[in-house]
Structure formats: C-alpha cells, structure tokens
Amino acid sequence: MYHIHFKIWKASEKLTAAAAGVLALLTVLLRTLPGVGFSANLCFLGVLACLVLLTLSRWGSRRRGWKILLRAAQAGLAVLILGLAAVEIWVIRVGSRNDFDQSADAVIVLGAGVNGTTPSMALQTRIDAAERYLKAHPDIPAVLSGGQGAGEDISEARAMYDALTARGIDPEQLILEEQSANTRQNLENSLALLPDSYHKTVAIVTNDFHMARVQLLLSADGPGRVVQVPAKLPWWLSVNYYLRESFAVVNDLVVRPLLA
C-alpha cells in the first residue's frame, strides 16, 4: 500500500528502502558463492531490519505510539551495530599480529572442518602455517586438536596428522587430540596433554580471524605467553569469517555464560 505514496516518503524512508534493495541483491549474490553463507544470512537479516524500520516509520506518521517504537528500534539497532563494530575492530587488531619468528615450548594447531577426508580451505591454511612453523622451529611438540563431526570421515586432528607427516614432519613430534568439538575444548584438551613445563610459551596456529577469541578463551591456568601463528584465507572468505567472528565472540563470552 505504501508504493502509492512513495513521492511523499521522507528522505530517511527512501534511503531505508534503497538499503533494503541493495542488501537483497547482495543476499542473492552471496548465496551463489561457496563459503560465505554467514554473510548472505547477515545481509538477509539486514533486509528484514530495514523493512521493519520502514514499516514503523510509515505507521509512525499516523500514530504516535508507532513513532515511539520506531525510535526504540533505531536506538537498539544503533547500540547493537556500534557494539559489534567495536568487537570487530578488536578482532581485526588482534588477528593482525604475527609472531612466526618467535619460538615456543609447544604448539597447538586448532582444527577446522573436514570434507570427508579432505581438509576444508580453513583447515588447509592452518596445516600450511603449521608446517612452516614446525620446519622453522624443529623439535617442538605439537598438539593437533579437533574431533570428528558430521560429514567428516576422519577427525580433524587425523586430517592434520596425515597432511603434516606426508610433508616430512616427524610423527613423533605430533600429539593427536581427537575429542574436542569447539574452540574452548580445543584449548582445554590440548593444554591437558602438555606437561606444565611446556605451558610457559605456547604457539597457537589458527586462522587470523580466530586469534582474538582464542586469546579470550585461554584461562588464567593457560600458557604464560601465547605466540600467534596466523593462517590467512583468501580475502573474500576472510571478510565473511571476520564478520562471523564478532558474533562468535559475543556468543562465547556473553551468551553461553548467561545460559550456563
């Protein structure tokens, strides 16, 4: 019914409608690309938010109560966006640190998805980074951490083990941790496999976008110092995962503790 009166819409309403159109196009485009499902879903949520704001704005032009609700929705959305933006900036800053040249007492390589027996792109980049670090810093024990999930014929740890030993890494150097199902368990289970004397300095191998959450999840009983060895994805996948990571940080540090 609102298209009839489009010419009398306020500039903010026209801008909101345009934003909804752009986000809808992005949703359709991203749905056609592999590995960026989160970004597609985020754009779709943006479309819904724009439509809700637009509807409240139009209704608010006739009833004061809807206008108050619109202001509350705008304020809540602004707080949410600013909060997530602050987390995102912090995630990017932490992930940009690279300590490759620094030695450590032990290494923990965090798992990611396996397609059957083939490492996903995220896991493959972690394997590549782990290989480079272990060859540059030989004779360091390395825990390969990751259980077996849906669609995986072998554990993530086993996929890393097979790839690294095929590239010349000494099998005696590698410790498999095949029980964990998330990042928190990756860290807790891996540290439990290492003697306390190896906790002074631990190198963490994972993707750069993941480093901030890893730093937060490491408890006071964790290593004294963390050496970051970040693995990088192609830029279009990095954007998707960096966006997702800010939500994951909020989930791990706020939502889960509240529900526990």
Side-chain angles (χ1 to χ4, degrees), residues 47-90:
V47 173
L48 295 181
C50 287
L51 293 178
V52 168
L53 292 176
L54 181 58
T55 301
L56 291 176
S57 180
R58 295 306 302 148
W59 288 356
S61 64
R62 297 191 301 276
R63 290 186 177 87
R64 187 170 181 273
W66 290 113
K67 190 171 184 178
I68 293 173
L69 187 57
L70 171 65
R71 296 291 179 257
Q74 289 173 330
L77 186 60
V79 170
L80 177 63
I81 291 174
L82 289 174
L84 288 172
V87 173
E88 191 66 46
I89 291 170
W90 173 74

Side-chain angles (χ1 to χ4, degrees), residues 1-257:
M1 59 181 289
Y2 300 129
H3 69 279
I4 299 174
H5 307 291
F6 182 76
K7 291 183 179 179
I8 65 172
W9 283 12
K10 294 180 289 188
S12 60
E13 293 172 345
K14 293 179 181 179
L15 184 61
T16 301
V22 171
L23 289 171
L25 288 174
L26 282 174
T27 300
V28 173
L29 174 62
L30 292 173
R31 291 287 184 197
T32 66
L33 301 176
V36 293
F38 179 83
S39 295
N41 293 336
L42 192 60
C43 287
F44 180 69
L45 289 176
V47 173
L48 295 181
C50 287
L51 293 178
V52 168
L53 292 176
L54 181 58
T55 301
L56 291 176
S57 180
R58 295 306 302 148
W59 288 356
S61 64
R62 297 191 301 276
R63 290 186 177 87
R64 187 170 181 273
W66 290 113
K67 190 171 184 178
I68 293 173
L69 187 57
L70 171 65
R71 296 291 179 257
Q74 289 173 330
L77 186 60
V79 170
L80 177 63
I81 291 174
L82 289 174
L84 288 172
V87 173
E88 191 66 46
I89 291 170
W90 173 74
V91 168
I92 293 171
R93 289 186 61 185
V94 173
S96 65
R97 198 183 95 204
N98 190 336
D99 303 327
F100 181 87
D101 293 332
Q102 299 182 27
S103 61
D105 299 312
V107 181
I108 296 175
V109 189
L110 302 185
V114 178
N115 302 314
T117 59
T118 304
S120 63
M121 186 174 292
L123 185 58
Q124 188 60 60
T125 58
R126 298 180 192 191
I127 292 170
D128 295 341
E131 178 194 4
R132 291 192 297 270
Y133 188 81
L134 291 173
K135 287 183 175 178
H137 304 273
D139 303 321
I140 300 175
V143 179
L144 310 179
S145 179
Q148 182 176 344
E152 298 179 339
D153 295 336
I154 58 175
S155 70
E156 296 164 9
R158 175 59 62 177
M160 291 188 282
Y161 178 90
D162 291 345
L164 289 170
T165 53
R167 298 182 185 189
I169 300 300
D170 185 0
E172 297 296 323
Q173 194 177 352
L174 305 177
I175 304 168
L176 274 68
E177 186 288 297
E178 300 179 276
Q179 304 304 314
S180 58
N182 55 53
T183 301
R184 190 185 299 273
Q185 292 175 6
N186 282 149
L187 298 170
E188 291 175 351
N189 295 348
S190 297
L191 288 171
L193 293 175
L194 294 170
D196 290 343
S197 58
Y198 286 80
H199 288 196
K200 294 179 182 178
T201 305
V202 175
I204 301 292
V205 180
T206 189
N207 292 105
D208 49 2
F209 62 81
H210 197 204
M211 283 295 183
R213 185 151 53 105
V214 168
Q215 293 279 10
L216 280 177
L217 290 174
L218 285 170
S219 66
D221 297 328
R225 188 168 68 88
V226 174
V227 172
Q228 291 190 180
V229 183
K232 294 186 178 296
L233 287 167
W235 70 267
W236 66 91
L237 287 177
S238 286
V239 171
N240 176 76
Y241 283 109
Y242 265 111
L243 286 172
R244 191 181 75 169
E245 197 62 20
S246 59
F247 289 85
V249 168
V250 173
N251 180 62
D252 275 350
L253 276 299
V254 179
V255 177
R256 286 187 179 180

